[in-house]
Amino acid sequence: MQTLQTSTPARLCYLHLASKAPQQQVDFYRRLLDMDSQAQADGSWLLQGPQRAMLVSPADHSGLLAAAYDLGSPTSLSLLRARLTERGCAIDAIDSPLLEAGAFQIRDPQGRQTVFGVSRGTPGSLLPGMPGRLQHVVFQTTELEAMIDFYVNTVGFTVSDTVVDQQSGQLTTCFLRSDDEHHSLAFFRGSKNEWDHHCYETNEWNDIRDWGDRFAKERITLFFGPGRHGPGNNLFFMVVDADRNRLEFSAELEITEASRPAGVWPQEEYTLNSWGRAWIRS
């Protein structure tokens, strides 16, 4: 079966957030993630920084509205659209200030929105700021197997690694890739259906240090880490933004060949953080 990685590689390019306090949220990303902001006609904000971008819309709740992936070319986007249509996936046209004409969105069986399009350019490529490319997004779900089936067999993601409870044999986590990077999407089995976190990939360990120092100056303490994940083998730490959404900074994420078989890891703290204590979802 054709996959995103082998035929139409896709890379996460921006997130669309809802916020009950959009000005505070915009100020957080402008100040701490070096993102310029522009007010839009519909009342939302467009934020762009070096290799990262975001839309923030005022709402009666806070969280993620959609994650958008760049297909790189109109040809690849058309091929993906045709495959999704062939597999019975409903497609809706969408206009985005960050994507060329022809972008579209789909919904998974639990209603999550994913946008596919061709980026108008590398977000904030000429803007100064610390390195941190928007790289992956993660969710908790009550229906893990159904989510894996949809994103693998309908959309075309590839399973890189899974995590399994050794006592029950139950699958607890799945990491999915859309290009050569270990994952751009992941799901944890949880008691709720909610956005878990999103991540910015830096260049090296020294960047992790520098981002940590930046948050320390603002008296923003780390939520999780620093440490190293088993699946993906990446260095990381997590903090929360103005709306208490979790964001991660990562380095050294594994590059994964298309022929690599999916790995299986035990559900334990060492898997999620080989350096020490882990945040175990429930």
Side-chain angles (χ1 to χ4, degrees):
M1 184 179 77
Q2 289 183 321
T3 68
L4 292 171
Q5 182 182 13
T6 59
S7 60
T8 52
R11 175 166 283 190
L12 190 65
C13 63
Y14 76 86
L15 302 180
H16 187 181
L17 273 59
S19 178
K20 292 190 293 185
Q23 189 61 62
Q24 293 181 25
Q25 188 75 316
V26 168
D27 289 346
F28 176 93
Y29 283 94
R30 185 166 51 197
R31 187 176 76 254
L32 288 164
L33 271 80
D34 304 317
M35 299 175 80
D36 283 353
S37 61
Q38 294 179 322
Q40 304 295 291
D42 63 358
S44 65
W45 292 84
L46 170 63
L47 292 92
Q48 295 187 87
Q51 295 187 289
R52 49 190 179 265
M54 181 179 295
L55 291 170
V56 178
S57 294
D60 59 2
H61 66 286
S62 295
L64 182 65
L65 296 175
Y69 287 80
D70 177 20
L71 271 292
S73 73
T75 300
S76 292
L77 184 64
S78 294
L79 288 172
L80 176 60
R81 177 191 285 269
R83 288 208 311 273
L84 290 169
T85 300
E86 181 181 342
R87 296 170 187 175
C89 184
I91 292 172
D92 296 311
I94 186 173
D95 290 324
S96 168
L98 290 161
L99 300 175
E100 301 285 352
F104 60 87
Q105 68 177 6
I106 62 173
R107 291 179 182 268
D108 71 21
Q110 291 188 319
R112 297 178 189 85
Q113 298 181 73
T114 304
V115 175
F116 294 102
V118 178
S119 176
R120 294 182 184 272
T122 302
S125 58
L126 300 179
L127 296 174
M130 291 172 60
R133 171 174 54 86
L134 180 63
Q135 195 279 321
H136 71 250
V137 62
V138 178
F139 299 93
Q140 294 186 43
T141 177
T142 58
E143 301 178 44
L144 182 56
E145 288 81 5
M147 293 303 100
I148 296 171
D149 177 70
F150 175 80
Y151 283 98
V152 171
N153 295 317
T154 298
V155 186
F157 283 82
T158 302
V159 176
S160 292
D161 282 302
T162 59
V163 180
V164 176
D165 186 301
Q166 292 180 301
Q167 291 186 337
S168 66
Q170 185 180 54
L171 186 68
T172 63
T173 312
C174 185
F175 297 89
L176 301 161
R177 65 182 182 271
S178 55
D179 60 7
D180 291 342
E181 293 186 317
H182 180 270
H183 62 282
S184 63
L185 175 67
F187 286 92
F188 287 85
R189 187 186 301 278
S191 57
K192 299 178 181 179
N193 296 305
E194 63 182 17
W195 182 28
D196 190 271
H197 71 272
H198 70 286
C199 181
Y200 299 90
E201 181 73 6
T202 65
N203 298 324
E204 59 175 354
W205 170 248
N206 286 342
D207 296 328
I208 296 288
R209 175 202 64 192
D210 293 346
W211 279 109
D213 284 343
R214 170 170 287 192
F215 287 107
K217 289 179 181 178
E218 295 281 337
R219 299 296 192 268
I220 297 173
T221 58
L222 304 191
F223 168 77
F224 179 23
R228 184 185 288 277
H229 294 311
N233 197 41
N234 50 313
L235 303 161
F236 76 95
F237 73 79
M238 289 186 184
V239 293
V240 296
D241 66 18
D243 284 341
R244 308 301 293 175
N245 302 314
R246 294 175 283 265
L247 56 152
E248 179 181 24
F249 290 84
S250 164
E252 302 181 6
L253 183 66
E254 176 188 338
I255 301 300
T256 309
E257 293 184 359
S259 59
R260 172 190 177 277
V264 180
W265 295 75
Q267 171 74 354
E268 61 182 19
E269 284 195 310
Y270 184 84
T271 292
L272 295 180
N273 183 9
S274 60
W275 287 6
R277 300 303 301 271
W279 168 38
I280 304 293
R281 283 73 167 176
S282 60

